[in-house]
Amino acid sequence: MAGKFRDIPKIPELRRRLLFTAGLLAIYRIGVFITVPGVDRGSMSEMMSGDGGGLLGLVNLFTGGALEMMSIFALGIMPYISSSIIFQLMQVVVPAIERLKKEGESGRKKITQYTRYGTVVLGIIQGFGISLYLENMHNSNPELGLLVSPGWPFRLLTVLTLTAGTVFVMWLGEQITERGIGNGISLIITGAIIASFPTALFQTYTQYTTGAMSTFTVGILLVVAIGVTAFIVLMETAQRRIPLQYAKRMVGRKIYGGQAHHLPLKVNMAGVIPPIFAMSLLIFPTTIASYFQDHPVGQFIQTVLVPGDWRYNLIYVVLIVFFCYFYTAVQVNPMDIADNLKKSNAFVPGIRPGKKTAEYIDQLLTRLTTAGAIYVAAVCVLPYFLIDELGVNFYFGGTSLLILVVVGLDTVGQIENHLITRHYEGFGARPGSAEGSSRIKGRTLDEPENI
């Protein structure tokens, strides 16, 4: 493995992709330190320090501290994710959107464009909610001097700034996906989480040195960290392999087929999408409730949707389980798999091709998704247990660790794919020979490798 990654600088395209990804992530981190006009960064940080375990603290984690500094990227990528949720749900219930999905690449581009429009609308709504929240905090604590000049000019400027910041972050993510390495949206969230880790570790160290956290607690935390990370890696790489047999067929005087293969099905087919979707949906009603803080319904919503509250945890788990099933159903169609197997003369031993094979795959997917949903939900509620029982003041584990591991595995896998496609052995060459590892057999040294 180490030998493979030492070859990365030797591949121009892969090197350019990695540098391009790193450059755009650096631009995102620079933008995090640009504050919205009219907001005092120091006062905002002071107010956020008292909400480290609340919903704002969770949002601040996934924006890399942008909310704490009231950055132009304070909304992060959450409006885009919420818009994606809406249009993926519409693909199931709205026939027009479903038809677009079946049109192939052109339909996908139209859905992507609608998702961008939805991102702008949600960014305006959430940006207006944040502007009202800031004005309420300023009126409640005027001595802090949070805002320079509250009022409609400030609200409009805040909405415009935050919406533009969200659209720019969305564009960065799309550029990384297209021209860089890995999924751009996931990498931006991962970068934000990693950026908050040094501060969290320093706070934990401070608690340990001051006696607020015992040596035994720190030891338990380290064991849990290693154990949870290993468990996530195990579950994310776990597969259920369905045995496949290819029917024999004669072409001329030769017999083809008869090989035994397998169809791999992951335990967690949905990846990190369910917890991200669930968190986005929980943030949205809180934003709406901020418009009606004096109304009993708004106060009730803000009271219930507090991370750590049993009602919040219950809703969070239910949403995660729902999106695990929903996203798996959207991404994997057992009938399509069965049809493709039938067309390629493949079958599952003991199962009739066609409808019976589709039913068999559907049963396996249901069982795997159940196990995957339980695993994802358990990992995502872990931080609240650590906060309550061990006194940890940051969101270790849960969605953040799941995203780090899954995105890390996916990015490393894509890098390996680039390395494999450029380090193939020549046809008929001896394994490990210079001829086989550097060029295709039969090509002269003067000929270019890129055709």
Side-chain angles (χ1 to χ4, degrees):
M1 179 67 70
K4 290 182 179 179
F5 284 95
R6 281 198 298 267
D7 294 337
I8 291 178
K10 302 176 183 178
I11 304 175
E13 181 187 354
L14 183 56
R15 184 173 65 247
R16 286 195 299 267
R17 284 180 173 271
L18 288 173
L19 291 176
F20 183 81
T21 302
L24 292 194
L25 290 176
I27 292 175
Y28 169 74
R29 287 306 304 167
I30 292 174
V32 168
F33 296 94
I34 302 176
T35 308
V36 171
V39 180
D40 184 80
R41 180 189 301 181
S43 301
M44 186 67 186
S45 300
E46 183 178 348
M47 293 176 58
M48 284 291 299
S49 62
D51 192 65
L55 185 61
L56 292 179
L58 185 60
V59 176
N60 188 57
L61 170 67
F62 284 92
T63 57
L67 184 61
E68 182 179 5
M69 292 180 284
M70 205 52 230
S71 162
I72 58 175
F73 295 157
L75 292 180
I77 202 65
M78 292 306 170
Y80 178 79
I81 296 174
S82 301
S83 181
S84 300
I85 297 172
I86 294 172
F87 280 96
Q88 288 199 11
L89 291 172
M90 290 175 66
Q91 291 177 20
V92 179
V93 298
V94 180
I97 303 297
E98 184 179 4
R99 286 194 298 269
L100 283 178
K101 178 185 176 183
K102 295 180 179 180
E103 289 180 3
E105 184 66 18
S106 61
R108 187 190 64 81
K109 288 182 178 179
K110 289 181 181 179
I111 294 176
T112 301
Q113 193 66 24
Y114 295 154
T115 303
R116 294 168 181 163
Y117 295 150
T119 301
V120 174
V121 174
L122 293 178
I124 292 173
I125 295 174
Q126 295 185 16
F128 188 69
I130 287 183
S131 67
L132 293 182
Y133 169 79
L134 292 176
E135 288 190 350
N136 289 332
M137 293 297 100
H138 176 76
N139 295 332
S140 301
N141 304 278
E143 67 279 358
L144 292 177
L146 178 62
L147 303 182
V148 175
S149 179
W152 274 106
F154 167 76
R155 297 174 188 174
L156 295 177
L157 181 60
T158 301
V159 169
L160 178 62
T161 304
L162 294 181
T163 303
T166 295
V167 172
F168 183 70
V169 173
M170 175 185 67
W171 179 81
L172 290 178
E174 292 179 349
Q175 293 300 308
I176 291 174
T177 302
E178 181 179 353
R179 303 181 183 180
I181 287 289
N183 182 284
I185 302 301
S186 299
L187 284 175
I188 286 176
I189 297 176
T190 302
I193 295 173
I194 293 176
S196 63
F197 261 41
T199 302
L201 292 176
F202 177 76
Q203 292 175 351
T204 303
Y205 175 75
T206 303
Q207 285 184 312
Y208 173 72
T209 54
T210 57
M213 184 178 293
S214 64
T215 305
F216 176 76
T217 302
V218 174
I220 292 293
L221 184 60
L222 290 176
V223 171
V224 171
I226 297 173
V228 172
T229 303
F231 178 66
I232 292 176
V233 173
L234 175 65
M235 293 298 292
E236 291 300 325
T237 56
Q239 294 179 348
R240 171 67 163 88
R241 297 184 174 183
I242 302 176
L244 297 178
Q245 188 73 32
Y246 283 82
K248 294 182 179 180
R249 56 192 177 92
M250 180 173 289
V251 180
R253 296 183 178 182
K254 295 184 179 181
I255 299 178
Y256 294 91
Q259 302 96 342
H261 294 278
H262 65 268
L263 176 66
L265 298 177
K266 292 183 62 177
V267 174
N268 181 23
M269 299 286 289
V272 299
I273 298 300
I276 295 177
F277 277 13
M279 188 184 66
S280 298
L281 286 185
L282 288 175
I283 292 174
F284 187 72
T286 307
T287 304
I288 300 299
S290 64
Y291 301 162
F292 310 99
Q293 292 188 352
D294 297 332
H295 196 278
V297 176
Q299 295 175 354
F300 175 76
I301 292 175
Q302 291 184 317
T303 302
V304 170
L305 297 183
V306 176
D309 186 273
W310 69 270
R311 293 164 294 188
Y312 176 91
N313 292 342
L314 179 61
I315 298 173
Y316 192 34
V317 168
V318 170
L319 288 175
I320 288 175
V321 173
F322 168 76
F323 280 118
C324 281
Y325 280 99
F326 172 78
Y327 199 75
T328 301
V330 170
Q331 296 297 316
V332 184
N333 190 330
M335 198 64 206
D336 289 345
I337 296 176
D339 289 341
N340 292 333
L341 292 177
K342 189 175 181 179
K343 292 177 182 178
S344 59
N345 294 320
F347 62 92
V348 180
I351 307 295
R352 296 183 63 180
K355 184 178 180 181
K356 291 294 183 181
T357 300
E359 292 176 353
Y360 175 71
I361 295 175
D362 184 63
Q363 291 177 358
L364 289 180
L365 280 175
T366 302
R367 297 173 185 174
L368 290 174
T369 305
T370 301
I374 295 174
Y375 138 71
V376 173
V379 171
C380 289
V381 297
L382 174 66
Y384 309 117
F385 170 78
L386 295 177
I387 291 173
D388 294 337
E389 301 297 331
L390 300 182
V392 179
N393 60 351
F394 68 97
Y395 285 87
F396 166 78
T399 309
S400 59
L401 185 59
L402 183 65
I403 291 174
L404 289 177
V405 174
V406 174
V407 174
L409 291 174
D410 177 67
T411 305
V412 170
Q414 291 197 27
I415 293 175
E416 284 187 326
N417 289 338
H418 280 274
L419 293 173
I420 290 173
T421 56
R422 286 158 180 80
H423 288 76
Y424 47 82
E425 293 186 351
F427 300 108
R430 295 188 304 275
S433 65
E435 179 185 10
S437 60
S438 60
R439 60 188 179 90
I440 298 178
K441 184 179 180 182
R443 179 184 295 162
T444 64
L445 293 176
D446 294 333
E447 292 178 5
E449 295 193 5
N450 294 327
I451 300 178

